[in-house]
Amino acid sequence: MSIKLKFLIMRTLKLFYLGMLSMTLIFTVGCSKEETGMEEVNAVNAHIEPNELANNGSKAKMYTVEFGSLNESGVSGTAELSLTGSTLTVNISASGLEANQVHPQHIHGFSSNKGNSTCPPASADQDGDGYVSIPEGAPFYGGVLLTLGPIPTADANGNINFTMTYEYEDGIDSDITPLQNRAIVLHGMTVDGEYWAGLPVACGQIMPSQGSK
């Protein structure tokens, strides 16, 4: 088999995988909590200040994220997270996304060993097709620990401003913490004229704010 033919086959397989993942992500948005395995999490509007999220008198722990682009997407942005007891609030502001398209976003990490999540370099593209796919990035940032939904749609200028609070009935999921060992990944970009909602376009490590541990 020639090198060129092998490259084309690998690229086709990757695009097929991304297409299937995109369909899965979009389908998941329409599923009930029971169908998605999120029955213990309730997402509510979070237009309140972090200091109003006190839970049993506990102090909010604050975190920040600085997004860097992946796959030459040009996406940039920041995120702020507030964790108080069993309540997690996430604020994401990003630009450079594809306008009027859905952009899935997740907290990623390693649940088994609590290893530190990092963002993949361009060299993570193992098959040489020019894109770092989710499987190629997973060794760096880990699996999906929390889907930050509802999945936002970028506005006409390619911006998203997302705010949501997640309340855990039985306490914060131990897989999510410690947040400083996690990363947030944004997805969604057009490849060869087709939009792939699962392709990573930005990544940022979650860092504790000054004075927060």
Side-chain angles (χ1 to χ4, degrees):
M1 182 181 294
S2 68
I3 295 176
K4 183 176 181 180
L5 179 58
K6 183 177 180 181
F7 172 82
L8 290 174
I9 292 174
M10 292 297 295
R11 184 185 179 105
T12 300
L13 288 174
K14 177 181 280 191
L15 292 179
F16 174 77
Y17 172 83
L18 288 171
M20 293 298 293
L21 179 61
S22 299
M23 293 176 64
T24 301
L25 289 169
I26 294 172
F27 172 77
T28 301
V29 177
C31 292
S32 66
K33 290 187 295 181
E34 289 75 18
E35 291 171 320
T36 58
M38 296 292 289
E39 55 272 3
E40 293 185 354
V41 183
N42 294 317
V44 297
N45 288 330
H47 299 292
I48 50 180
E49 296 299 320
N51 58 11
E52 295 176 350
L53 296 175
N55 185 359
N56 297 325
S58 59
K59 182 179 179 181
K61 296 180 180 180
M62 308 300 295
Y63 304 84
T64 60
V65 176
E66 187 79 24
F67 289 111
S69 66
L70 295 176
N71 291 315
E72 299 183 352
S73 66
V75 175
S76 62
T78 60
E80 295 181 349
L81 297 87
S82 172
L83 178 61
T84 308
S86 59
T87 300
L88 173 66
T89 299
V90 181
N91 299 276
I92 296 176
S93 296
S95 60
L97 296 152
E98 292 204 30
N100 304 314
Q101 294 284 6
V102 295
H103 291 278
Q105 48 193 13
H106 311 92
I107 292 179
H108 285 256
F110 301 96
S111 58
S112 59
N113 59 13
K114 305 295 183 183
N116 191 45
S117 297
T118 60
C119 295
S123 59
D125 174 24
Q126 294 296 306
D127 59 11
D129 70 346
Y131 300 98
V132 177
S133 65
I134 290 179
E136 290 170 333
F140 296 87
Y141 46 63
V144 173
L145 301 180
L146 177 64
T147 297
L148 299 173
I151 295 175
T153 298
D155 64 20
N157 296 314
N159 302 318
I160 60 171
N161 290 286
F162 173 90
T163 301
M164 191 59 61
T165 290
Y166 305 89
E167 296 179 346
Y168 289 77
E169 296 178 357
D170 299 322
I172 193 71
D173 190 336
S174 60
D175 284 345
I176 300 297
T177 56
L179 282 172
Q180 62 267 27
N181 287 10
R182 310 306 184 204
I184 296 179
V185 181
L186 310 181
H187 304 261
M189 189 170 75
T190 295
V191 176
D192 294 337
E194 294 187 58
Y195 185 72
W196 301 104
L199 188 67
V201 295
C203 174
Q205 292 178 265
I206 300 175
M207 307 294 290
S209 297
Q210 187 174 4
S212 182
K213 296 182 179 180

